[in-house]
Amino acid sequence: MGVTQYKCVIIDDEPAAHYVLISYIEKNANLILVSQCYNALEALDYIRNNPVDLIFLDIDMPEMSGIEFLKSLSSPPQTILTTAHSQYALESYDYGVIDYLLKPISLSRFIKSIERFLSFHQRDETDDPKNITVKVDGRNIELKTYDINYIQSYGNYVKVFTRQKIYLVSTTTQEILSNLSARTFMRIHKSYIVNLSKVEKYTESEVLINNEKLPIGITFKRELLEYLGKSA
């Protein structure tokens, strides 16, 4: 099986920062650099029209800061901040940032950051079905498993929350879970199943996915936190 490559973009107004990141990206077989942007407005145009898996984002840029850039996107790609200033770290994690690299960035720290990113993405493709068939309004439709953010119990139905819309599916929580990969989806509460790759932030009592806070049930806490701890 070939190496999975993820499309990444550098967004930074400093040419020197691009030089360092390019040299590091070239050393990682899982990453492919698809664009270099020197301001946030340029990046907005590219990301809205092209698929991107990961962005390396500077905070202090002219016209629009990195934080303002993240706020402007309804569903931003996974993000690694690259900045010389640490005072924004806490705020940045409210926007799904997966890591925060202080300049000058060492190669070892960069590698650790990419390992965190890959931990949410790399899966055995033979084990993870790309699509599942569900019944909505009496007809069968196919959903891409990657698009699923989380699933909520709803009486004799479940609500499937995807990047595009919410589906009311005629099935039980346990039935739909049995059709999903255990490597990617986990029950975190009697009422919730989450796509582990979409967890942006977590505490001992809740996870954050697409700006939605979902509770962690006591029964499921240990397994979930052990997984997320290994991925942190």
Side-chain angles (χ1 to χ4, degrees):
M1 185 181 295
V3 174
T4 301
Q5 287 193 311
Y6 297 94
K7 296 178 179 179
C8 59
V9 172
I10 298 171
I11 309 171
D12 198 307
D13 62 321
E14 299 177 355
H18 284 250
Y19 177 82
V20 171
L21 287 171
I22 289 170
S23 68
Y24 291 170
I25 290 167
E26 288 176 345
K27 291 179 171 66
N28 195 302
N30 290 108
L31 301 180
I32 179 169
L33 183 63
V34 294
S35 182
Q36 294 175 245
C37 302
Y38 288 86
N39 61 68
L41 296 178
E42 180 185 355
L44 276 175
D45 182 62
Y46 184 87
I47 288 174
R48 285 174 174 168
N49 293 285
N50 298 276
V52 175
D53 300 303
L54 175 66
I55 57 175
F56 296 94
L57 177 65
D58 187 28
I59 289 181
D60 293 318
M61 292 184 293
E63 299 180 8
M64 179 185 289
S65 72
I67 296 296
E68 291 171 335
F69 171 78
L70 289 177
K71 289 179 180 179
S72 72
L73 295 174
S74 58
S75 183
Q78 288 197 295
T79 302
I80 296 174
L81 289 181
T82 58
T83 180
H85 306 283
S86 61
Q87 65 265 34
Y88 302 104
L90 187 60
E91 180 184 3
S92 70
Y93 285 109
D94 290 335
Y95 300 99
V97 171
I98 61 173
D99 208 351
Y100 192 102
L101 300 180
L102 284 176
K103 298 176 181 178
I105 303 166
S106 68
L107 178 57
S108 61
R109 184 66 182 85
F110 176 88
I111 291 172
K112 183 177 180 181
S113 186
I114 298 306
E115 286 176 348
R116 174 175 172 80
F117 165 74
L118 292 176
S119 70
F120 290 109
H121 286 271
Q122 287 186 322
R123 304 183 295 271
D124 183 352
E125 295 295 336
T126 61
D127 184 50
D128 288 4
K130 294 181 179 179
N131 304 287
I132 59 169
T133 301
V134 296
K135 184 170 286 188
V136 178
D137 294 330
R139 61 188 180 91
N140 291 330
I141 65 170
E142 281 201 346
L143 296 180
K144 294 181 179 179
T145 56
Y146 181 77
D147 284 340
I148 298 173
N149 288 331
Y150 63 93
I151 297 165
Q152 180 184 11
S153 298
Y154 193 73
N156 295 324
Y157 296 82
V158 298
K159 288 182 177 180
V160 180
F161 293 76
T162 72
R163 292 189 295 177
Q164 293 81 20
K165 62 185 295 185
I166 302 170
Y167 296 89
L168 185 61
V169 177
S170 178
T171 188
T172 66
T173 308
Q174 191 55 44
E175 285 172 348
I176 197 168
L177 182 60
S178 69
N179 291 318
L180 296 167
S181 170
R183 293 169 60 88
T184 311
F185 290 85
M186 183 181 294
R187 195 165 187 168
I188 66 164
H189 186 277
K190 64 180 181 180
S191 298
Y192 291 98
I193 298 167
V194 301
N195 184 336
L196 294 165
S197 69
K198 302 303 177 75
V199 174
E200 301 161 355
K201 188 178 179 182
Y202 67 94
T203 67
E204 289 192 355
S205 60
E206 62 189 18
V207 299
L208 182 71
I209 296 180
N210 197 31
N211 292 322
E212 292 291 332
K213 294 179 180 180
L214 308 178
I216 300 172
I218 295 175
T219 307
F220 308 95
K221 179 183 295 187
R222 180 175 179 180
E223 182 181 2
L224 176 66
L225 294 182
E226 282 182 355
Y227 175 87
L228 294 175
K230 290 176 182 177
S231 301

